[in-house]
Amino acid sequence: LVAEEYINIPNILWILNEIEELAKKNNRRKITLFIPVTDFAITNIISGKGYLSEGVLREPYKKGVDITVFSKFLDSGGSDINEL
């Protein structure tokens, strides 16, 4: 979870880069993120980093809050919008 005052593009990109670097160091092949469907700012940033939506989980943790499942294969060289 990220406090509202820290949700901005540089911070989210930093967090994603740290997650990806740690996953690579640990020889992981895929990263999966669970983001509430109403977090449009984070969803846009994640999509721009090459993560794809795999679907929506209906109220998995809290009543009335659906979750979008995003994933990225690390070895696929997914298209990062920042590299275009």
Side-chain angles (χ1 to χ4, degrees):
L1 297 173
V2 179
E4 193 67 34
E5 64 263 21
Y6 296 108
I7 296 177
N8 59 55
I9 293 172
N11 286 345
I12 300 303
L13 290 174
W14 183 84
I15 291 168
L16 288 173
N17 287 333
E18 290 294 313
I19 290 169
E20 290 178 15
E21 288 303 313
L22 185 61
K24 288 175 187 176
K25 286 180 185 175
N26 287 290
N27 297 317
R28 303 296 183 214
R29 66 181 194 91
K30 183 179 180 180
I31 296 171
T32 303
L33 304 171
F34 300 89
I35 308 297
V37 296
T38 56
D39 283 349
F40 300 114
I42 295 176
T43 297
N44 290 336
I45 295 168
I46 289 171
S47 296
K49 287 287 291 175
Y51 288 79
L52 299 176
S53 172
E54 290 196 6
V56 175
L57 300 176
R58 202 168 151 226
E59 302 180 348
Y61 305 112
K62 184 177 178 183
K63 184 175 175 137
V65 180
D66 296 339
I67 301 292
T68 305
V69 179
F70 288 93
S71 69
K72 181 177 182 178
F73 286 97
L74 296 174
D75 58 355
S76 69
S79 59
D80 184 335
I81 199 162
N82 295 320
E83 295 174 1
L84 298 176

